[in-house]
Amino acid sequence: MIAEAGLAALWFAAALALLQFVLAGMGVWRSTPLRAEATGSARTDAETTLTADIIAAVRPVAVVQGVLALFAMLLLITVFVRSDMSVLLVAENSHSDKPMLYKIAGAWGNHEGSMLLWVTILGIAGAAVALLERSLATRTLIATLGAQAAIALGFYAFLLFSSNPFARLDPAPADGNGLNPLLQDPGLAFHPPTLYIGYVGISIAFSFAVGAMITRDVGPAFARAMRPWVLGAWIFLTLGITAGSYWAYYELGWGGWWFWDPVENASLMPWLAATALLHSVSVLATRDGLRAWTLMLAVVAFSMSMIGTFLVRSGILTSVHAFAVDPTRGSFILALLAIYIGGALLLFALRVGTVKQGNTFDAVSREGALIVNNLLLSVILALVLLFTLYPIVAAGFGTQLSIGKPFFDKFIGPIALALGVVMAIGPMVRWRRDDPGVVLGRMIAPVAVTGFALVALVALGGGIAWLPLFGLALAIGLAVASVLPLWGRNLRRTPLFTYGMVVAHLGIAVSLAGMACDAAFTQETLVAVRVGEPYRAGPFSVTLDGIKPVVGPNWSALEARLSARRGADGAVFYLRPQSRFFANPVTVTSESAIATRWDGQLYTVLGEPDGTGRWQLRLWWKPFVTLIWFGGALVAIGGALSLLGRLRRERRVRVREAYA
């Protein structure tokens, strides 16, 4: 009965989403000031009371809907933990011999379960808005909750009519097919939930924008209410992308951290749009500027989230990241995308003429720098979207082509460097207006450091390609520019969100340095070795000491014992890469072994025997590659500091207003 209870919870949650949408629509319509003028009559006390009751009912309905969605998700996890093979999803994606971690995480390691996780986070987020949001005007908040209910309703329909996670299987098999071995990693427990929280946070921002457009309430108060949700979504997207990159790096065994795979791009595109939206909403919240631009970016960010969902689940992609789903489900998601995004764009077109301009500013100002920042982010987003979709569209017309990593790097790399330059300049410029000569004076230190680094790299680095060369020099200059806003300030009185900006920008510089070092200095060695033969991998000597069979919880493997030392006098350490065999489902995977040092990683992968007593080994020495993920963590930490700082300031403002 557990599966039936979960399905019933989903149906009740969907019914409440419909009720929430209807109540919100009625509440906004009945409370519209122009309604009384249109009808030519004043509201009676009974009508006023009824309107207030309708509006008051929206919040608790949103909360109960979120609780029911969470209940359904917990019940799905329960049937996976119990290995209930009478549930089709469990039989297709689990096995009784799986470790407990993968039984739990396996609940969302498939199409239906991941969509239920998506809807669960969506419901919880809507409940959080209903419970916590107090600064937004009531009509705008109700319209926001109505928009959120409309989004949830579409995904509930998708689950119930197209992707039921609780469907029964009769007769039940003795055991299940097992989970994809590539997903049997602790990363499955962390990566999808963080990424989905980011996606859903963007949907909240989208709902805020739709609510503000419906009620014509686009101003600083609306932006201050929306900003924490945008910032929270951006933090989780950053964590999800960073974790996913490292997971693919060590799990797939190809030695790279980003391949511009279409499904990788599906997570990057919402992050790019959310980054632009975060800067834009900050300008609107603090300086009352960029009103229309903020609304449009909220729509674009959610559009990228929906497009990513379509790419992953439509069945039109072949990717290690994608779910194998039939095109019918893809058509359902495409229809939802058309309804939500088409409706939002229509609403924007109808309302943009009523959005006031807001405060103006000079070209040389922080607002101006943020506009350039957003334009460059938008160009990168457009290129990633174009290069991702073009091969898919071409395939639809019978032309097979691929756009690989070198193509992406060639076109996007230079724009990313320009974005880094603007990022270095932006915090140095004052709000509203500034003197160009004074701004140049503030940039002397970063420019000098960048120039010195460039000369040193050219002199000492040998034949480094121009893109990583300029990238590394710019990263060093950007790191200096990132901390300069703290120069000369009373650090004890500096707002926490200023520290957040500094740490986040420093994180971008650190990640950029890691990317440049990986591209410029990585050394790869592909060898066929016999036991006892040493080979060089960068500064390391690596020797194959032997191959032995090992057995894991639900796999068997051939494990290489590699001994390595750095230089002639370095201490010996050992690495054990494996070639694993999984029986359920039948799969062979390469499990890399990585030794991390302060200045990089030694990355090893065991290949196949060649029939003459030799084994293939792939060895990489990757200097400072760990800076990529350390920088990503710094970016997320900076976002968290900014979020805490903004929430603390808003709380102080509310307390002062309450006692005024």
Side-chain angles (χ1 to χ4, degrees), residues 41-188:
S41 60
R43 294 190 181 99
T44 64
D45 290 342
E47 287 179 324
T48 303
T49 301
L50 178 60
T51 300
D53 290 342
I54 291 173
I55 291 175
V58 175
R59 288 181 187 261
V61 169
V63 172
V64 176
Q65 183 215 138
V67 171
L68 285 172
L70 177 60
F71 182 61
M73 187 69 224
L74 292 175
L75 291 180
L76 182 66
I77 293 174
T78 300
V79 296
F80 268 84
V81 168
R82 296 179 59 174
S83 296
D84 184 353
M85 298 305 163
S86 68
V87 177
L88 177 62
L89 193 65
V90 179
E92 290 181 340
N93 297 279
S94 189
H95 193 277
S96 59
D97 291 337
K98 274 197 320 181
M100 182 56 67
L101 174 64
Y102 304 135
K103 287 185 179 181
I104 296 173
W108 55 77
N110 53 80
H111 167 71
E112 291 84 352
S114 66
M115 287 307 304
L116 179 55
L117 177 64
W118 174 297
V119 169
T120 299
I121 297 173
L122 192 68
I124 294 173
V129 172
L131 287 172
L132 302 177
E133 183 54 56
R134 291 292 183 268
S135 60
L136 200 61
T138 300
R139 288 186 69 250
T140 305
L141 174 61
I142 297 305
T144 298
L145 291 174
Q148 191 71 7
I151 296 173
L153 193 59
F155 283 102
Y156 281 127
F158 180 60
L159 273 173
L160 294 170
F161 298 115
S162 180
S163 303
N164 178 12
F166 296 104
R168 287 288 189 180
L169 181 61
D170 187 20
D175 218 328
N177 296 333
L179 179 67
N180 184 342
L182 292 175
L183 298 178
Q184 294 189 37
D185 185 271
L188 180 64

Side-chain angles (χ1 to χ4, degrees), residues 283-443:
V283 174
L284 178 53
T286 58
R287 301 294 166 177
D288 193 15
L290 306 183
R291 293 188 175 193
W293 186 242
T294 300
L295 294 174
M296 176 55 73
L297 282 174
V299 175
V300 170
F302 184 62
S303 302
M304 295 302 103
S305 175
M306 290 292 294
I307 288 174
T309 303
F310 171 72
L311 290 176
V312 174
R313 301 168 191 282
S314 62
I316 64 175
L317 289 180
T318 300
S319 167
V320 295
H321 308 278
F323 293 103
V325 177
D326 62 86
T328 302
R329 293 175 178 177
S331 300
F332 201 125
I333 296 175
L334 191 61
L336 291 179
L337 192 154
I339 293 170
Y340 294 145
I341 305 309
L345 290 175
L346 177 61
L347 180 61
F348 178 82
L350 295 174
R351 287 288 197 263
V352 69
T354 66
V355 176
K356 296 181 180 179
Q357 180 180 0
N359 292 329
T360 59
F361 47 84
D362 291 350
V364 182
S365 63
R366 187 172 297 187
E367 292 95 331
L370 289 174
I371 286 179
V372 176
N373 175 287
N374 281 0
L375 289 174
L376 290 173
L377 282 168
S378 299
V379 171
I380 294 174
L381 172 60
L383 289 176
V384 174
L385 180 63
L386 175 63
F387 296 161
T388 301
L389 294 182
Y390 184 69
I392 299 172
V393 175
F397 289 93
T399 302
Q400 297 296 325
L401 56 87
S402 63
I403 297 179
K405 187 176 184 297
F407 193 87
F408 277 92
D409 290 345
K410 178 180 179 181
F411 283 90
I412 293 176
I415 304 173
L417 292 182
L419 181 62
V421 173
V422 176
M423 188 185 305
I425 296 172
M428 304 288 184
V429 189
R430 299 185 186 277
W431 293 103
R432 295 287 169 84
R433 64 181 62 86
D434 208 339
D435 182 85
V438 175
V439 174
L440 290 176
R442 298 186 193 119
M443 292 300 300

Side-chain angles (χ1 to χ4, degrees), residues 313-660:
R313 301 168 191 282
S314 62
I316 64 175
L317 289 180
T318 300
S319 167
V320 295
H321 308 278
F323 293 103
V325 177
D326 62 86
T328 302
R329 293 175 178 177
S331 300
F332 201 125
I333 296 175
L334 191 61
L336 291 179
L337 192 154
I339 293 170
Y340 294 145
I341 305 309
L345 290 175
L346 177 61
L347 180 61
F348 178 82
L350 295 174
R351 287 288 197 263
V352 69
T354 66
V355 176
K356 296 181 180 179
Q357 180 180 0
N359 292 329
T360 59
F361 47 84
D362 291 350
V364 182
S365 63
R366 187 172 297 187
E367 292 95 331
L370 289 174
I371 286 179
V372 176
N373 175 287
N374 281 0
L375 289 174
L376 290 173
L377 282 168
S378 299
V379 171
I380 294 174
L381 172 60
L383 289 176
V384 174
L385 180 63
L386 175 63
F387 296 161
T388 301
L389 294 182
Y390 184 69
I392 299 172
V393 175
F397 289 93
T399 302
Q400 297 296 325
L401 56 87
S402 63
I403 297 179
K405 187 176 184 297
F407 193 87
F408 277 92
D409 290 345
K410 178 180 179 181
F411 283 90
I412 293 176
I415 304 173
L417 292 182
L419 181 62
V421 173
V422 176
M423 188 185 305
I425 296 172
M428 304 288 184
V429 189
R430 299 185 186 277
W431 293 103
R432 295 287 169 84
R433 64 181 62 86
D434 208 339
D435 182 85
V438 175
V439 174
L440 290 176
R442 298 186 193 119
M443 292 300 300
I444 289 176
V447 170
V449 169
T450 302
F452 178 78
L454 187 61
V455 171
L457 288 168
V458 171
L460 303 175
I464 303 176
W466 74 268
L467 189 59
L469 174 68
F470 280 95
L472 185 54
L474 177 61
I476 297 171
L478 178 58
V480 173
S482 298
V483 300
L484 281 182
L486 298 178
W487 183 263
R489 302 185 67 153
N490 185 333
L491 298 183
R492 291 186 177 182
R493 294 183 176 272
T494 300
L496 191 58
F497 53 77
T498 300
Y499 282 107
M501 176 193 71
V502 169
V503 172
H505 284 193
L506 181 61
I508 294 292
V510 171
S511 283
L512 180 58
M515 297 172 195
C517 287
D518 180 61
F521 306 124
T522 291
Q523 300 176 45
E524 179 181 1
T525 304
L526 176 60
V527 293
V529 302
R530 298 182 188 275
V531 174
E533 290 182 347
Y535 279 88
R536 300 293 300 179
F540 295 90
S541 173
V542 181
T543 302
L544 175 63
D545 295 332
I547 303 286
K548 67 175 183 179
V550 294
V551 178
N554 60 335
W555 49 264
S556 59
L558 291 175
E559 180 180 271
R561 179 182 170 90
L562 305 177
S563 59
R565 71 167 67 233
R566 186 166 191 162
D569 302 322
V572 176
F573 59 94
Y574 300 95
L575 300 102
R576 293 179 172 83
Q578 297 175 345
S579 178
R580 286 186 183 177
F581 173 78
F582 292 81
N584 296 294
V586 176
T587 310
V588 177
T589 66
S590 294
E591 299 295 320
S592 62
I594 303 172
T596 302
R597 299 294 181 264
W598 70 270
D599 58 343
Q601 289 185 330
L602 175 62
Y603 187 113
T604 65
V605 175
L606 174 65
E608 299 291 329
D610 67 356
T612 65
R614 299 187 302 176
W615 290 81
Q616 294 179 357
L617 282 180
R618 298 188 71 180
L619 311 172
W620 287 270
W621 167 237
K622 305 175 80 63
F624 299 104
V625 68
T626 50
L627 293 180
I628 297 172
W629 304 289
F630 178 63
L634 282 179
V635 173
I637 291 171
L641 291 175
S642 295
L643 179 59
L644 289 174
R646 294 294 181 188
L647 292 176
R648 285 174 59 183
R649 170 165 285 194
E650 292 295 330
R651 182 176 179 275
R652 289 171 183 170
V653 170
R654 288 196 298 270
V655 170
R656 283 199 300 267
E657 291 175 348
Y659 285 95

